[in-house]
Amino acid sequence: MTGTTLDDYTDRYARRVRGMTASEIRALFAVASRPEVVSLAGGAPYIAALPLDAVGEMLGRLGSEHGVTTLQYGIGQGTLELRERICEVMSLSGIDAACGASPEDVVVTVGGQQALDLVARLFLDPGDVVLAEGPTYVGALGVFQAAQSQVVHVPMDADGLIPEALETAIADLARAGRRVKFLYTIPTYQNPTGVTLSEERRERVLDICERAGLLVVEDDPYGQLGFEGEAPAPLRARRRDGVFYLSTFSKTFAPGLRVGWILAPHAVRDKLVIASEAQILCPSGYAQAAVATYLGTMPWRQQLKVYREVYRERRDALLDAMADLMPEGTNWTTPAGGLFVWATLPDGLDSKAMMPRAIAARVAYVPGTGFYADGTGTGAMRLNFSFPPPERIREGVRRLAGVMEQEIAMRRVFGAVGGAAGRRGQAGSDVPGPDLA
């Protein structure tokens, strides 16, 4: 009999589909994209900062003059031209030939998201454990969930992942007989907190993982978007064995092209290509040509400086507005780069429960629960500053602060409704406030 449930195919799905949930961020897009809503929720780069006329002309030529090749099938690993350009980009961060970076070990992917999925497909069996910062990137949580693995969060502070907590987590899981496959980390301008792993801790984290026999999956979408000097060298610039380096052009050029990459240990490269071919056959030749041509013919290094200045101004606008308008008891990070600020709320406030009232006040953010595998983080939220202009950012904070003040007033009158259970249930839920960051 059909039509009796919301989903007539429930009993036919594979086991790995059970428990799949919609992304907290994707679920917000339909509402947050309305023009009357100030969205501090997404992570969209400010594409208008690009020289769009020149980019448009370049894209047109790729079709009209080079369409015979750019619109054709390609190889699964990605074009050699783009892989060579990717090595040039990585060399700016210290990942160069001296530390074993080669076009032969680069695999082009459909954005950073496919890169994550490929690593998960290669290494994760059902029941395996992934260690990750708490909180961490919501898209990674979805990938690991689809692989039927368990994410165990490692606490952070103002200097990033806490090495002692990493050692403790590894030891506890070993005693429990759990199989830990790798550490997933965003060490530079982390999503969602904006925190950067300190120089000293980078070496300690690598040493701990090496002793434990853990692979390291380093996700670095934001490393070239620093506002205050150079970021510490990536983990892959320090160690070549056992470190997978993932990045993307979505934040430094154009997310619509969906071009990312993995720099993998040489022995794994072929398996990544085979897995990618099984998924997509080959990455888009047109998108690859667009990125390679952009890197080869346009002043992309200068464009990075433009992005940095735009984002620094908008970060400052957000931080200034929060300092002026947020109610007492609110804390937040002060990122030195990237796209995000992580805010912890006054005691008793629940960012997820408050979301409908914020939308009614025409402001959007991402509740902290989306960045934890176990649904904790209700006492926190992620705020994005890359897309709205400074005046809209301030207006968004004004609206959000008003909603929070109303919530605080209601609690004073009616007491706790549902409490804040689980707010600090996960170690690291209260990632640093301004006094720490």
Side-chain angles (χ1 to χ4, degrees):
M1 183 176 180
T2 61
T4 58
T5 67
L6 292 176
D7 187 346
D8 294 328
Y9 300 90
T10 299
D11 60 347
R12 305 187 189 191
Y13 288 127
R15 283 190 295 272
R16 63 180 171 272
V17 175
R18 297 171 189 171
M20 281 188 176
T21 57
S23 159
E24 298 266 3
I25 299 174
R26 295 292 170 188
L28 283 169
F29 272 8
V31 172
S33 61
R34 296 175 186 168
E36 70 273 16
V37 175
V38 178
S39 178
L40 305 174
Y46 186 59
I47 296 300
L50 285 169
L52 292 177
D53 289 347
V55 170
E57 290 177 9
M58 178 195 78
L59 295 176
R61 288 195 302 273
L62 289 176
S64 62
E65 299 176 14
H66 306 285
V68 171
T69 54
T70 61
L71 301 178
Q72 186 55 275
Y73 286 116
I75 63 173
Q77 187 176 356
T79 67
L80 177 59
E81 179 186 11
L82 179 57
R83 287 184 279 123
E84 289 174 339
R85 297 291 183 190
I86 286 170
C87 285
E88 292 177 18
V89 171
M90 290 192 296
S91 70
L92 292 183
S93 302
I95 304 174
D96 54 22
C99 63
S102 163
E104 291 302 308
D105 294 330
V106 172
V107 177
V108 178
T109 60
V110 182
Q113 194 68 18
Q114 193 209 5
L116 274 171
D117 189 68
L118 290 176
V119 171
R121 284 172 182 267
L122 257 60
F123 290 103
L124 293 179
D125 289 316
D128 283 345
V129 174
V130 174
L131 293 173
E133 293 136 346
T136 193
Y137 169 50
V138 64
L141 293 177
V143 167
F144 302 148
Q145 180 189 61
Q148 297 177 277
S149 62
Q150 179 190 358
V151 174
V152 172
H153 290 293
V154 181
M156 303 168 64
D157 63 16
D159 292 318
L161 188 76
I162 301 171
E164 294 82 4
L166 176 62
E167 287 185 300
T168 299
I170 292 171
D172 288 347
L173 289 162
R175 281 193 294 271
R178 302 298 305 278
R179 190 181 188 194
V180 184
K181 282 294 185 68
F182 56 77
L183 169 67
Y184 169 72
T185 179
I186 312 170
T188 306
Y189 316 136
Q190 198 245 12
N191 179 2
T193 66
V195 167
T196 295
L197 185 65
S198 68
E199 183 75 39
E200 182 265 342
R201 285 189 180 181
R202 290 180 183 235
E203 292 295 337
R204 292 175 62 193
V205 166
L206 286 168
D207 288 342
I208 291 166
C209 290
E210 186 174 327
R211 288 196 300 269
L214 289 187
L215 300 174
V216 176
V217 178
E218 178 180 18
D219 199 357
D220 189 26
Y222 314 103
Q224 295 183 342
L225 296 176
F227 315 144
E228 298 171 2
E230 295 298 320
L235 304 180
R236 180 57 181 79
R238 303 157 191 269
R239 310 276 174 94
R240 69 171 72 180
D241 295 331
V243 179
F244 292 74
Y245 181 81
L246 283 54
S247 193
T248 177
F249 291 103
S250 292
K251 304 302 187 291
T252 57
F253 180 26
L257 291 172
R258 309 304 304 130
V259 177
W261 74 90
I262 307 173
L263 175 65
H266 185 75
V268 184
R269 188 270 318 273
D270 288 345
K271 290 182 174 60
L272 284 168
V273 173
I274 292 168
S276 182
E277 287 173 340
Q279 284 185 321
I280 63 168
L281 192 60
C282 62
S284 163
Y286 183 83
Q288 291 181 83
V291 175
T293 304
Y294 173 77
L295 295 172
T297 64
M298 293 193 179
W300 60 273
R301 291 176 178 83
Q302 182 61 39
Q303 185 60 44
L304 286 176
K305 294 179 181 178
V306 172
Y307 275 133
R308 290 170 187 150
E309 290 301 319
V310 169
Y311 296 154
R312 179 191 291 113
E313 179 187 28
R314 295 178 180 205
R315 178 207 59 178
D316 291 347
L318 177 58
L319 296 179
D320 289 347
M322 294 179 75
D324 291 343
L325 301 170
M326 280 293 184
E328 184 178 353
T330 311
N331 296 307
W332 54 88
T333 57
T334 303
L339 310 182
F340 306 108
V341 164
W342 181 255
T344 53
L345 308 183
D347 284 342
L349 295 194
D350 183 324
S351 61
K352 191 165 187 177
M354 191 172 69
M355 190 70 209
R357 291 180 282 280
I359 294 297
R362 297 170 298 158
V363 61
Y365 58 85
V366 184
T369 50
F371 304 99
Y372 286 95
D374 58 4
T376 54
T378 58
M381 63 174 67
R382 191 192 74 177
L383 302 175
N384 167 257
F385 54 79
S386 61
F387 193 74
E391 62 275 12
R392 289 284 284 173
I393 289 174
R394 187 171 185 86
E395 174 59 20
V397 173
R398 186 191 67 78
R399 296 176 186 180
L400 179 55
V403 172
M404 293 168 63
E405 293 283 10
Q406 290 177 351
E407 294 287 302
I408 292 169
M410 288 176 62
R411 284 182 57 82
R412 288 184 185 132
V413 174
F414 300 108
V417 180
R423 176 175 178 239
R424 294 180 175 85
Q426 172 69 45
S429 293
D430 284 324
V431 172
D435 56 327
L436 300 176

